[in-house]
Amino acid sequence: MHDIIWSRPALDDLRKIDDWLTRDAEPDHAARTLAAIRQRADFLENFPHGGRPLRDGIRVLLVYETPYLIRYRIATGRVELLRIHHERENWLVEP
């Protein structure tokens, strides 16, 4: 089992997603989307190789039934969540 570590940018992404959904979406849709992101992150505890390899040790995991992707890397005994991206973002380029 791996510990899940949320980076500051990933937490910021989650807050921005929450803010946007709270403002522009139905409340139950917002709650389902945020829960789906957290559940997929938790999935990585037991299945750290569940996402597809991207480059330089970075992997990407699709959040089912949402337009979001989790970008992460595996380290000894932990999974580091790097960013949460909307699939339409240019998430291959780091700002």
Side-chain angles (χ1 to χ4, degrees):
M1 186 177 264
H2 290 72
D3 291 329
I4 302 297
I5 307 299
W6 288 79
S7 71
R8 175 60 46 203
L11 288 172
D12 290 345
D13 292 337
L14 196 60
R15 279 189 203 96
K16 288 175 188 172
I17 292 165
D18 183 30
D19 290 346
W20 182 79
L21 288 171
T22 300
R23 188 178 59 249
D24 295 335
E26 293 295 324
D28 59 320
H29 174 73
R32 280 193 318 271
T33 299
L34 293 170
I37 292 169
R38 289 186 189 100
Q39 287 171 350
R40 285 301 273 171
D42 290 345
F43 165 83
L44 294 170
E45 279 183 311
N46 294 312
F47 303 99
H49 291 87
R52 64 183 165 89
L54 183 58
R55 66 174 182 272
D56 301 326
I58 306 295
R59 301 178 77 84
V60 177
L61 181 69
L62 174 66
V63 179
Y64 294 137
E65 299 180 18
T66 78
Y68 294 100
L69 306 162
I70 299 172
R71 194 167 52 165
Y72 70 99
R73 81 173 138 236
I74 303 167
T76 305
R78 68 181 189 264
V79 173
E80 300 169 350
L81 304 181
L82 304 173
R83 298 298 304 263
I84 312 298
H85 294 284
H86 191 283
E87 65 188 3
R88 290 189 181 177
E89 284 181 70
N90 187 359
W91 51 271
L92 294 174
V93 177
E94 188 65 34

